[in-house]
Amino acid sequence: EAGVAQSPRYKIIEKRQSVAFWCNPISGHATLYWYQQILGQGPKLLIQFQNNGVVDDSQLPKDRFSAERLKGVDSTLKIQPAKLEDSAVYLCASSSGRGLRAGELFFGEGSRLTVL
Amino acid sequence: DAKTTQPPSMDCAEGRAANLPCNHSTISGNEYVYWYRQIHSQGPQYIIHGLKNNETNEMASLIITEDRKSSTLILPHATLRDTAVYYCIVRVATGNTGTASKLTFGTGTRLQVTL
């Protein structure tokens, strides 16, 4: 079974530039998450999708971050304009979202963003 | 979701059992205990979860106290590849709308397995 795919793995940009990250979840997984992980901290949830609808985006900085999951499969996370404090690893995860297995998230390897 | 408390770091000799504690004294009756780990430069990996009974799988065992206020993750024979940050998380199985509720990570326990 293919895992969660993310790209790019690494990105370096200057502040005020824009960047986009792409995620392809495990086939058939209805729930998709984007997490931000700053160095030395645990992952922080940015947004959660159920199919193509948003379940939770309470911690997404909506003035600069946006995310979409068209057709309920792939997802993109965009940052525009980027700030220095956005330097982090952006992790995508998916789960089947069903019953007790809803808490079994499968994570991608992440996209490491450096903002200069 | 209930808050958890874990020691920031632990050491374990290779081949010995690693016992990672977690305190979740405010856990609710419908909240499960989940454990994940994150090896350096990788995404977190699911290990095990439980409600009130002890659980075991091919990776680890989970011991939950009778009052459910704390739990211990046991790696029976730790290897160097088990060096990672281990996260203890409590969450409900599903949210009010029936969708999967979110997983909130703390700072975890950094386990160092040594020769």
Side-chain angles (χ1 to χ4, degrees):
Chain A
E1 176 180 79
V4 176
Q6 290 190 245
S7 67
R9 286 296 313 277
Y10 304 94
K11 188 74 176 179
I12 300 174
I13 62 173
E14 295 188 348
K15 60 183 179 183
R16 292 187 289 273
Q17 288 187 322
S18 62
V19 63
F21 302 111
W22 172 81
C23 173
N24 185 18
I26 291 174
S27 177
H29 278 190
T31 310
L32 185 146
Y33 308 79
W34 282 102
Y35 282 84
Q36 178 194 58
Q37 187 171 26
I38 293 172
L39 187 64
Q41 299 180 17
K44 182 183 85 171
L45 180 69
L46 291 176
I47 189 167
Q48 175 184 342
F49 291 95
Q50 180 80 8
N51 298 309
N52 60 350
V54 175
V55 173
D56 186 341
D57 63 357
S58 57
Q59 297 193 86
L60 186 74
K62 298 179 185 64
D63 58 335
R64 298 182 301 105
F65 286 64
S66 64
E68 60 182 11
R69 190 183 184 197
L70 300 176
K71 301 181 181 178
V73 182
D74 293 8
S75 177
T76 56
L77 176 70
K78 297 179 181 178
I79 308 174
Q80 181 179 14
K83 292 185 175 182
L84 297 178
E85 59 260 37
D86 298 333
S87 293
V89 176
Y90 292 86
L91 294 160
C92 179
S94 70
S95 77
S96 65
R98 299 192 190 98
L100 293 181
R101 308 216 56 178
E104 293 181 36
L105 273 60
F106 295 83
F107 283 82
E109 293 187 306
S111 296
R112 181 178 297 276
L113 173 66
T114 301
V115 182
L116 302 176
Chain B
D1 291 338
K3 181 179 173 61
T4 62
T5 304
Q6 298 178 254
S9 64
M10 293 182 63
D11 291 331
C12 178
E14 189 176 35
R16 304 297 293 269
N19 297 285
L20 292 94
C22 179
N23 181 287
H24 32 79
S25 58
T26 59
I27 192 170
S28 301
N30 63 345
E31 288 183 309
Y32 288 72
V33 180
Y34 284 82
W35 283 83
Y36 278 74
R37 73 179 182 183
Q38 187 172 24
I39 294 169
H40 183 63
S41 296
Q42 297 182 20
Q45 176 191 23
Y46 165 82
I47 300 174
I48 197 167
H49 75 277
L51 182 62
K52 53 185 177 181
N53 297 320
N54 298 338
E55 302 287 345
T56 296
N57 63 19
E58 66 278 4
M59 290 182 68
S61 294
L62 173 60
I63 308 299
I64 303 174
T65 58
E66 192 169 344
D67 63 7
R68 302 209 324 121
K69 292 184 177 181
S70 65
S71 62
T72 301
L73 180 75
I74 301 173
L75 308 178
H77 305 286
T79 71
L80 296 178
R81 287 176 294 181
D82 292 322
T83 293
V85 177
Y86 287 77
Y87 297 98
C88 170
I89 303 163
V90 293
R91 68 182 288 279
V92 295
T94 57
N96 293 333
T97 60
T99 58
S101 60
K102 65 184 179 183
L103 221 56
T104 302
F105 289 81
T107 53
T109 295
R110 183 173 299 278
L111 176 69
Q112 180 68 53
V113 181
T114 57
L115 290 171

